């Protein structure tokens, strides 16, 4: 498993995509962790989400579609470097390309992603008894992600381990207002340093459509500012 994948998964948590007790389709939050988008409640047909730097530079663009049962049917994402991931579902697989390589993503009977294979990397995704992503790992690496949740199903911690050695840890505190499903403050600890990432969103009918994300260092100094837009269509 390459370290850029570690950063991708950390960003998925930081975006606030773990969304409390709203009415989500069974795999929505899991897909959000794996494909870096904000989980949306309801019977979602499609969501198009974009992330920008403070000056408007595009950082990430993802367009994802679902069938009426909430199973993903198509994903296209473009990162800041212009690298594209695009997959479409056929049966119990998502197939397409990822950063110029062929990719095959295997789904189980519940439409959960359980494996991703490219010519250079294989990733396994395991789930806990509640059906939430529990561990992400690769046979070729001793680096693993461990995800922890509270009783309400909110992700509260993401730990990245290399064998028994901790590489990074992100701890999330969700807004006390349960309607603010995407507002979260995350503290990230890595290499004896820490930073805080705060996501605050605007909502319409309890669904986020715009989010500001501010990153501060251990002294509270602002070191990064991003904003994101969210478009949603429903069945």
């Amino acid at each position: 498993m390459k370290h850029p994948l570690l950063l991708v998964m950390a960003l998925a948590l930081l975006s606030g995509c773990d969304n409390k007790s709203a009415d989500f389709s069974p795999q929505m939050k899991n897909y959000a962790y794996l494909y870096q988008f904000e989980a949306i409640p309801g019977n979602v047909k499609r969501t198009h989400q974009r992330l920008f730097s403070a000056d408007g530079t595009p950082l990430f663009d993802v367009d994802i579609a679902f069938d009426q049962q909430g199973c993903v049917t198509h994903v296209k994402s473009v990162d800041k470097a212009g690298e594209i991931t695009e997959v479409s579902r056929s049966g119990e697989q998502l197939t397409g390309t990822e950063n110029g390589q062929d990719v095959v993503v295997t789904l189980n009977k519940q439409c959960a992603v359980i494996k991703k294979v490219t010519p250079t990397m294989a990733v396994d995704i395991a789930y806990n008894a509640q059906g939430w992503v529990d561990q992400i790992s690769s046979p070729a690496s001793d680096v693993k992600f461990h995800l922890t949740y509270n009783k309400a199903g909110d992700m509260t911690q993401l730990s990245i381990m290399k064998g028994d050695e901790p590489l990074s840890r992100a701890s999330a505190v969700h807004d006390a207002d349960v309607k603010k499903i995407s507002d979260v403050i995350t503290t990230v600890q890595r290499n004896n340093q820490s930073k805080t990432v705060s996501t605050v969103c605007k909502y319409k009918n309890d669904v986020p459509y715009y989010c500001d994300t501010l990153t501060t260092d251990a002294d509270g100094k602002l070191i990064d500012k991003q904003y994101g837009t969210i478009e949603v269509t429903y069945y």
Side-chain angles (χ1 to χ4, degrees), residues 69-173:
Q69 288 69 50
C71 186
V72 62
T73 59
H74 183 261
V75 180
K76 182 177 182 180
S77 64
V78 184
D79 67 12
K80 182 179 180 181
E83 294 185 329
I84 298 172
T85 294
E86 185 166 15
V87 294
S88 297
R89 193 176 92 228
S90 177
E92 294 180 358
Q93 289 185 331
L94 297 169
T95 59
T97 59
E98 180 178 285
N99 303 334
Q101 295 185 319
D102 291 338
V103 61
V104 177
V105 178
T106 302
L107 308 174
N108 66 12
K109 296 294 185 181
Q110 290 73 44
C111 217
V113 175
I114 57 174
K115 194 176 189 68
K116 181 178 77 171
V117 178
T118 72
T120 58
M121 180 176 63
V123 176
D124 296 313
I125 299 99
Y127 295 80
N128 63 18
Q130 290 73 38
W132 304 319
V133 174
D134 178 62
Q135 180 175 283
I136 301 171
S137 60
S138 172
S141 173
D142 59 353
V143 175
K144 296 180 179 180
F145 293 91
H146 296 280
L147 288 72
T148 304
Y149 305 82
N150 62 20
K151 292 181 179 180
D154 307 327
M155 189 197 296
T156 55
Q157 186 167 289
L158 169 65
S159 299
I160 303 174
M161 305 289 293
K162 182 177 176 63
D164 295 328
E165 176 189 357
L167 295 179
S168 179
R169 183 178 67 189
S171 302
V173 177

Side-chain angles (χ1 to χ4, degrees), residues 17-19 35 40 48 55 86 124 131 165 196 217 224 230:
C17 63
D18 179 47
N19 303 97
Y35 284 108
I40 303 297
H48 182 201
D55 64 4
E86 185 166 15
D124 296 313
E165 176 189 357
T196 300
D217 63 17
D224 190 36
I230 301 169

Side-chain angles (χ1 to χ4, degrees), residues 17 22 43 51 53 66 70 82 90 102 110 123 176 180 187 202 235:
C17 63
N43 193 10
L51 181 67
S53 64
F66 309 87
S90 177
D102 291 338
Q110 290 73 44
V123 176
K180 294 182 178 180
T187 302
K202 297 179 181 178
Y235 284 102

Side-chain angles (χ1 to χ4, degrees), residues 1 4 7 11 16 23 54 69 72 98 125 146 152 182 195:
M1 185 185 298
L7 300 178
L11 283 172
D23 184 18
Q69 288 69 50
V72 62
E98 180 178 285
I125 299 99
H146 296 280
S182 297
K195 62 181 179 180

